[in-house]
């Protein structure tokens, strides 16, 4: 017997993750062969934070010195030099951060406290609902109660309604900030957002989590074994699921969107030069990943269970993002020693999977911010993984910290960055699009029918693109 609960459709896992929202867990017991009909729970959660709106909070690899520090680029000591010049006038002031739970998690609050101790600048947290984040912030700005720091998590175009142009002290070419993020989120020739090469929240194409106990206790070939043998492909990913399935476990939670981003473009992209969103209609990468998902579903390897059920310990594989390995992340209810994390597979059908497609995570200054200078110093400190590792324990354990700093950050810095947007445009046409019948139907299709069904839903993406561009034009 295995524990499982039917949750959001597997295809939409990546879409939900774009909002950093994990589904609600459950304790329902059911046999693997029992009925698997779709049921949907409200997205949300409980966080003990003051705020006007409630929201939710949501390695085995690596080369380096093994310290879990990011040692590529300027040293941590050199990166801290900037705080020697914090103006005295900022001491005693406050910086307000608008978040929905991720950055405001307990361990990150410890990082903020260390920042205050170093600089004398206080940090306040303003909690919002993630789905209505930008609209709610806009109301707070009008009321004169807006934040200083805002977060861009895929929500183009909405975020530009509340974003201010970056102050001049943000030198995006100083080696700390990642200029690719700023350049690809530019609007009307102005810079609005940053992230750093050292950030605890870099956008990635995803990672693979595997259940160590299932593989180790049953002598199965693990993802690490395949990596060590130079054979980590989507085909061997599937073999891992097959091996687990044969001995009575669920194969995996497979996110075809994350898989697609390793091979090609997402459904929609934002072009900073034109200031418009474009729709990628001939999406071969998405079609291939959806067919692969359908084949795995038809083989009984994936089904109507999602990341919320992974902590139950009966699912072998999981494609997800790096939030899964955070202490307050998707798998916070699972012992971190029971699972491992590795990079996404290197190839599919004999072709390399190194496209570099990613979602979007960046940070900016809100319109009418009261303390933009203090916000600059906060972001310099907060978006440095070594400060996070020094001041708190943001990862599930030291192994996860090592994997993130030595594998995820290294790959992020070295790879091309091709940003895709999804949640922002789709919420222009339907705030509750994660529950759309379109995706439920698509996810049920056979591998042979997938191309036809994918073509049918492209109107949705084109409409989302058109509405996004109308909104962007209204900001000019």
């Amino acid at each position: 017997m295995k524990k499982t609960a039917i949750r959001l459709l597997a295809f939409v896992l990546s879409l939900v993750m774009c909002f950093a929202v994990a589904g609600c867990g459950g304790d329902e017991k059911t046999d693997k062969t029992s009925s698997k009909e779709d049921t949907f729970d409200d997205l949300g959660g409980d966080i003990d934070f003051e705020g006007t709106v409630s929201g939710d909070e949501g390695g085995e690899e690596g080369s380096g010195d093994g310290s879990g520090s990011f040692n590529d680029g300027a040293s941590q000591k050199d990166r801290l030099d900037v705080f020697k010049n914090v103006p005295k006038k900022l001491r005693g002031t406050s910086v307000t951060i608008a978040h929905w739970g991720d950055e405001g998690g307990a361990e990150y609050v410890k990082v903020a406290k260390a920042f205050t101790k170093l600089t004398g600048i206080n940090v306040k947290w303003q909690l919002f609902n993630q789905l209505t984040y930008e609209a709610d912030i806009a109301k707070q700005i009008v009321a004169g109660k807006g934040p200083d720091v805002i977060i861009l998590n895929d929500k183009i175009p909405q975020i530009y309604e509340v974003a201010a142009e970056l102050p001049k002290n943000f030198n995006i070419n100083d080696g700390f900030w990642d200029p690719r993020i700023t350049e690809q989120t530019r609007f009307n020739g102005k810079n609005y957002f940053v992230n750093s090469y050292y950030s605890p929240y870099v956008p990635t194409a995803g990672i693979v989590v595997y259940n160590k106990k299932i593989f180790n206790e049953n002598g199965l070939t693990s993802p690490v074994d395949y990596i060590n043998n130079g054979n980590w492909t989507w085909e061997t990913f599937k073999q891992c699921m097959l091996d687990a399935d044969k001995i009575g476990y669920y194969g995996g939670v497979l996110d075809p969107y994350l898989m697609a981003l390793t091979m090609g473009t997402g459904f929609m992209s934002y072009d900073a030069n034109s200031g418009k969103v474009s729709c990628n209609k001939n999406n071969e990468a998405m079609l291939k990943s959806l067919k692969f998902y359908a084949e795995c579903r038809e083989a009984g390897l994936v089904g109507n269970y999602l990341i919320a059920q992974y902590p139950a310990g009966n699912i072998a594989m999981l494609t997800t993002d790096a939030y899964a390995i955070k202490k307050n992340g998707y798998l916070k209810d699972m012992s971190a020693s029971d699972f491992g994390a590795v990079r996404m597979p290197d190839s599919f059908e004999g072709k390399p999977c190194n496209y570099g497609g990613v979602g979007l995570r960046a940070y900016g200054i809100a319109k009418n911010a009261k303390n933009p200078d203090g916000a600059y110093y906060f972001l310099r400190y907060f978006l440095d993984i070594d400060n996070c590792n020094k001041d708190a324990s943001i990862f599930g354990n030291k192994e996860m910290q090592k994997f993130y700093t030595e594998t995820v950050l290294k790959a992020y810095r070295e790879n091309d960055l091709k940003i895709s947007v999804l949640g922002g445009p789709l919420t222009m046409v339907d705030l509750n699009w994660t529950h759309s019948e379109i995706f439920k139907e698509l996810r049920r299709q056979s591998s042979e029918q997938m191309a036809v069904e994918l073509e049918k839903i492209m109107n949705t993406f084109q409409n989302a693109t058109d509405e996004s561009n109308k909104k962007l034009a209204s900001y000019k």
Side-chain angles (χ1 to χ4, degrees):
M1 298 287 289
K2 300 176 182 179
K3 294 180 182 178
T4 187
I6 312 306
R7 289 297 182 263
L8 293 174
L9 53 151
F11 170 64
V12 193
L13 176 61
S14 63
L15 315 185
V16 176
M17 286 183 180
C18 288
F19 292 138
V21 176
C24 301
D27 296 319
E28 178 185 357
K29 294 182 179 180
T30 179
D31 187 83
K32 183 177 177 181
T33 58
S34 64
S35 175
K36 295 182 179 179
E37 296 184 3
D38 296 314
T39 61
F40 296 89
D41 291 345
D42 291 338
L43 301 179
D46 298 314
I47 302 182
D48 187 17
F49 275 95
E50 293 182 358
T52 56
V53 190
S54 64
D56 51 35
E57 180 177 16
E60 301 260 341
E61 298 178 86
S63 59
D65 60 11
S67 66
S69 295
F70 189 71
N71 53 16
D72 185 8
S75 68
Q76 183 188 18
K77 181 178 180 298
D78 290 340
R79 299 199 299 273
L80 288 173
D81 283 346
V82 68
F83 299 101
K84 295 177 181 178
N85 302 314
V86 176
K88 290 183 180 180
K89 67 179 182 179
L90 293 179
R91 296 191 67 85
T93 64
S94 295
V95 173
T96 302
I97 319 302
H99 71 114
W100 51 85
D102 287 9
E103 280 82 354
E107 295 300 317
Y108 291 99
V109 171
K110 294 178 183 178
V111 180
K113 288 181 178 179
F115 165 76
T116 298
K117 184 177 180 180
L118 176 66
T119 65
I121 302 171
N122 299 305
V123 178
K124 296 181 179 180
W125 304 89
Q126 196 173 30
L127 183 65
F128 292 89
N129 184 303
Q130 191 175 357
L131 294 179
T132 56
Y133 179 80
E134 297 79 12
D136 292 338
I137 289 176
K139 294 175 184 177
Q140 292 293 306
I141 291 174
V142 170
K145 300 177 181 179
D148 296 301
V149 174
I150 55 175
I151 305 166
L152 169 55
N153 189 46
D154 188 49
K155 296 291 284 295
I156 288 176
Q158 295 91 330
I159 196 68
Y160 292 116
E161 184 174 356
V162 296
E165 185 179 1
L166 287 176
K168 289 186 172 25
N169 52 351
F170 282 87
N171 177 6
I172 65 168
N173 296 307
D174 65 4
F176 177 81
W177 306 112
D178 182 351
R180 299 172 300 179
I181 293 291
T182 305
E183 290 164 0
Q184 293 190 53
T185 57
R186 190 171 285 144
F187 182 60
N188 283 345
K190 299 177 181 178
N191 295 334
Y192 285 90
F193 292 97
V194 294
N195 205 337
S196 82
Y197 284 122
Y198 311 89
S199 176
Y201 280 99
V202 294
T204 67
I207 63 173
V208 172
V209 166
Y210 70 100
N211 187 304
K212 282 184 176 181
K213 294 183 71 175
I214 291 176
F215 286 89
N216 294 343
E217 293 179 3
N218 296 283
L220 303 181
T221 304
S222 74
V224 171
D225 295 327
Y226 284 114
I227 287 172
N228 290 339
N229 291 327
N231 189 28
W232 183 224
T233 68
W234 284 106
E235 288 80 6
T236 53
F237 175 97
K238 183 178 181 180
Q239 187 61 52
C240 286
M241 292 197 295
L242 282 166
D243 292 342
D245 180 76
K246 288 176 183 177
I247 58 175
Y249 292 94
Y250 286 107
V253 177
L254 174 62
D255 181 345
Y257 190 72
L258 289 180
M259 178 182 178
L261 290 180
T262 70
M263 297 186 289
T265 58
F267 283 117
M268 286 166 283
S269 302
Y270 172 71
D271 181 358
N273 292 323
S274 65
K276 293 183 178 181
V277 173
S278 61
C279 181
N280 305 313
K281 293 185 176 180
N282 299 316
N283 201 315
E284 187 65 23
M286 195 69 237
L287 178 58
K288 284 184 177 181
S289 65
L290 281 168
K291 283 185 173 180
F292 182 78
Y293 167 79
E295 291 167 0
C296 290
R297 188 202 69 235
E298 289 158 4
L301 302 179
V302 300
N304 298 338
Y305 45 91
L306 286 186
I307 194 170
Q309 291 312 113
Y310 201 81
N314 56 359
I315 303 173
M317 306 291 288
L318 169 66
T319 53
T320 180
D321 61 61
Y323 192 55
I325 62 176
K326 301 287 184 67
K327 181 175 286 188
N328 68 326
Y330 305 127
L331 305 183
K332 62 185 177 183
D333 295 327
M334 185 177 189
S335 172
S337 62
D338 288 345
F339 65 93
V342 298
R343 66 182 186 267
M344 294 287 263
D346 301 324
S347 71
F348 181 57
E349 296 179 343
K351 296 181 180 179
C353 289
N354 57 0
Y355 175 75
V358 297
L360 184 53
R361 188 68 155 229
Y363 299 80
I365 307 299
K367 286 182 178 177
N368 299 332
K370 297 178 179 64
N371 194 3
D373 290 336
Y376 166 79
Y377 285 104
F378 171 78
L379 289 175
R380 279 293 300 237
Y381 192 89
F382 192 76
L383 297 180
D384 190 324
I385 191 65
D386 283 342
N387 294 335
C388 295
N389 292 338
K390 171 178 62 70
D391 301 330
S393 300
I394 67 171
F395 295 99
N397 58 17
K398 291 294 184 182
E399 180 182 298
M400 299 303 169
Q401 175 181 310
K402 181 175 184 289
F403 170 72
Y404 184 86
T405 54
E406 296 186 8
T407 299
V408 174
L409 278 183
K410 187 174 186 295
Y412 169 77
R413 183 161 186 157
E414 293 178 351
N415 292 348
D416 289 338
L417 205 62
K418 302 179 179 70
I419 293 174
S420 296
V421 295
L422 188 66
L426 284 175
T427 50
M428 294 299 300
V429 295
D430 182 6
L431 183 61
N432 296 311
W433 59 270
T434 52
H435 299 277
S436 170
E437 287 295 329
I438 291 174
F439 293 110
K440 285 192 285 184
E441 287 301 318
L442 184 64
R443 158 314 211 159
R444 294 185 181 116
Q445 299 306 315
S446 68
S447 55
E448 292 81 7
Q449 190 66 16
M450 193 61 73
V452 173
E453 296 302 320
L454 182 59
E455 178 65 26
K456 287 181 181 179
I457 72 164
M458 288 313 299
N459 282 341
T460 298
F461 295 106
Q462 185 60 58
N463 290 341
T465 298
D466 294 341
E467 291 303 313
S468 295
N469 288 330
K470 288 179 185 178
K471 179 63 73 173
L472 287 167
S474 73
Y475 295 149
K476 295 180 179 180

